[in-house]
Amino acid sequence: MDKTDAFISRSKNLKSQELVLKKSHSVFGTLRLIAFIGILILVFLIIKKPSSIILLIGLLISAILFIIFLVHDRNLSSKLKKFRRLLLINDKYMKRIAGTWTEFEDNGEAFKDLQHPYSNDLDIFGSNSLFQLINTTKTFLGRNKLVSLLKSPELSTESIKKRQSAVKELSGKIEFCENLEDEGMSNIKISNDTNELLNFIEDLNNTFKDYIKKIITLLPIVTIIFCVITMILKIPILYDILLILFLVHAFINVISLIKVYPVLNSMESFNNDFAAYGHIFKLIEKENFKDSYLNQLKDNLFVKDKASNILKKLDTIISAINFRNNFLLYIVLNLLFFWDYRCLFYLETWKGNYGTLIRKYLETAADFEVISSLATISHLDSNLCYPTFSGTNPKINASDLGHPLILASDRIYNNVDLKNNIFIITGSNMSGKTTFLRTMGINLVLAYAGAPVCAKAMDCSLLKIFTSMRISDDLSKGLSTFYVELTRIKTILDFLPQKDPMLFLIDEIFRGTNSNDRIIGAKTVLKNLDKEWCAGLISTHDFELCDLEKVNDDRIKNYHFREDYTDNKIHFDYKLRQGRSDTTNAKYLMKMVGIDI
């Protein structure tokens, strides 16, 4: 069964289960309505004949049935929503395979950074980007962690292999990955910035001193005992003292509006956030993993107690706080028992016991989301591999390397053997030079993130990536295309003194100036980049640069793309070949669009 068939089968299964739930939901909805009508009829009959025990028993049974049907109907409704979300998630996977994923609304446009060493040129964020293809994160921390990993991965073989192993396991757990995404989708608030929530939870300062807490805790008991004594003895002065006690209660409750109410109000606003996270924690806690890194992450949710249990304790406190929604009950509870104070004290005790753990819990959920996102690409394509890493000098050796953002049926694969080399790539317009440079770069980004790459096999060293490809003028700053490119090239050259292994990808170098200056400038740049710790690819239409291979054939190699003409039509095979290009097609393309030469 290929990838598409697997998702089609899963979609059919989900739709079948959804249909069963729909029918059950309809049945219990009808039963609930019947029970409610029965209650109304019985109430009417009891008003006419209040002494009828049979009618009272019938009313009780109808009320119990109504509650049972209501609870069951709500559970079915919740399950229906879940299945609809899972169908949507499954449909998105099929769109990824079909190549229509570019319509996904969340494309990471906000993370585009024109000053970043490579992300803009390699389509990491924005429309038609890697982020748009693979991202399944829903939490604020998960999203930011994925962005950080794609922008600046830790270049450590140990950390990369650790993520690789985790990604491999989740690649075989599509149901877990989809359920993880579903739990994140169940509450949109989970994508909100968590800093405010964490600052609140990690603030362990108590609002009141311990002696005040004891007074507020004991005072209701004293008041109730005194109330009983007063009712028994009925001494007038005791009534006066009791009145004073209730005035003290009222005064303390007025103070709560200033010091307690705002804290509880903040907690109430985070209610849905915790509920959503609780479901994510429970999902991870129940899943069995073989990979050591995944189990290490899972263990983070079992400090002191299960993370889901700890949030359940918090949910109990939040439920108590929510009594304020019943105005009369809320007034009585506060007046007699200082309910808000008690909720605050329980909350502060909970924060003291578990507040410092919540950040680790949220980070753990985010780490699982990131690994799940990196596994996304493996669910779409079988022509993938997990790269190996070796050597300290710049090296990229790959067979059947393709661009992961190109539909599998349209993708062209090339072999690459770069060993501390500089490749000068020539070829006609539209022949595939720029795409090949991006293919090299984006696969390295995937490799360093710990994801599979679009190749049959790949071995590489750890390299800092720099690009100069998508260059345009900046009218707001009065900068020409040539000047913008100069600053980009200078960024690459400025990194050289660090002597860290690096890869440069430069497309159509100095296209914004005349041919003579362009050639002189390009040769100057290549001379500067000719360092043993630096390798890269540079595309050009200037064949004069190809002569550099004769000067340093161990380091500088010529490669090209070509085209063929059949039946007065141009054809590209997008295959990389050794040597310099010997064809051009600018005149032909001009003729194709109707420009007479």
Side-chain angles (χ1 to χ4, degrees), residues 430-488:
M430 300 167 57
S431 61
K433 303 186 298 298
T434 304
T435 300
F436 180 68
L437 265 62
R438 291 199 172 108
T439 299
M440 293 276 285
I442 198 169
N443 276 293
L444 279 182
V445 172
L446 284 170
Y448 298 154
V453 297
C454 194
K456 187 176 181 181
M458 182 173 173
D459 181 64
C460 60
S461 55
L462 303 178
L463 305 167
K464 291 282 188 179
I465 305 170
F466 292 88
T467 63
S468 176
M469 302 174 71
R470 192 172 274 130
I471 305 297
S472 61
D473 57 12
D474 189 337
L475 295 177
S476 64
K477 296 180 181 178
L479 304 178
S480 68
T481 301
F482 180 61
Y483 187 85
V484 171
E485 185 176 10
L486 280 175
T487 59
R488 192 77 180 172

Side-chain angles (χ1 to χ4, degrees), residues 164 167-168 171 374-378 384-387 404 443 446-447 450-455:
Q164 269 190 357
V167 171
K168 283 180 185 178
S171 295
L374 296 176
T376 298
I377 194 169
S378 66
L384 304 171
C385 76
Y386 288 89
N443 276 293
L446 284 170
V453 297
C454 194

Side-chain angles (χ1 to χ4, degrees), residues 37-143:
I37 292 171
I39 290 171
L40 294 177
I41 292 171
L42 287 167
V43 168
F44 176 76
L45 293 175
I46 288 169
I47 291 171
K48 284 194 167 186
K49 194 176 182 182
S51 60
S52 175
I53 296 174
I54 294 174
L55 290 176
L56 288 171
I57 292 172
L59 179 62
L60 179 63
I61 293 171
S62 296
I64 292 171
L65 287 174
F66 177 77
I67 293 170
I68 292 172
F69 295 150
L70 178 65
V71 171
H72 199 69
D73 192 47
R74 284 184 177 177
N75 290 336
L76 287 172
S77 180
S78 178
K79 286 180 181 179
L80 260 176
K81 288 176 182 177
K82 181 180 179 67
F83 274 97
R84 285 164 183 163
R85 290 194 303 267
L86 286 172
L87 277 167
L88 181 63
I89 290 167
N90 199 71
D91 182 58
K92 288 181 73 174
Y93 275 102
M94 289 194 287
K95 285 181 177 179
R96 289 182 177 106
I97 294 172
T100 56
W101 53 270
T102 53
E103 67 189 42
F104 293 170
E105 185 177 345
D106 186 9
N107 61 19
E109 185 72 28
F111 303 114
K112 288 186 75 170
D113 179 3
L114 300 183
Q115 305 307 314
H116 189 267
Y118 61 78
S119 65
N120 188 55
D121 288 338
L122 299 182
D123 300 311
I124 306 301
F125 305 104
S127 182
N128 306 334
S129 68
L130 179 63
F131 182 88
Q132 189 177 21
L133 173 66
I134 70 171
N135 176 48
T136 60
T137 64
K138 299 302 174 188
T139 69
F140 177 81
L141 286 176
R143 186 180 175 82

Side-chain angles (χ1 to χ4, degrees), residues 498-517:
Q498 297 189 35
K499 296 187 178 180
D500 286 339
M502 60 183 287
L503 175 81
F504 65 86
L505 302 168
I506 302 175
D507 185 39
E508 302 289 357
I509 188 168
F510 296 147
R511 73 197 75 171
T513 190
N514 65 77
S515 59
N516 188 52
D517 287 347

Side-chain angles (χ1 to χ4, degrees), residues 133-201:
L133 173 66
I134 70 171
N135 176 48
T136 60
T137 64
K138 299 302 174 188
T139 69
F140 177 81
L141 286 176
R143 186 180 175 82
N144 284 331
K145 278 199 170 193
L146 179 61
V147 170
S148 178
L149 188 61
L150 296 177
K151 274 189 170 183
S152 52
E154 181 186 352
L155 293 182
S156 157
T157 302
E158 183 182 355
S159 64
I160 294 171
K161 286 184 175 179
K162 186 168 65 174
R163 280 195 303 274
Q164 269 190 357
S165 179
V167 171
K168 283 180 185 178
E169 179 161 351
L170 289 199
S171 295
K173 288 180 175 287
I174 180 62
E175 190 170 342
F176 171 80
C177 293
E178 289 193 346
N179 281 323
L180 183 65
E181 186 176 359
D182 163 64
E183 295 299 354
M185 288 174 66
S186 66
N187 183 1
I188 194 170
K189 283 188 69 181
I190 209 167
S191 63
N192 293 345
D193 191 336
T194 53
N195 287 324
E196 187 180 352
L197 181 148
L198 288 171
N199 289 339
F200 177 81
I201 291 297

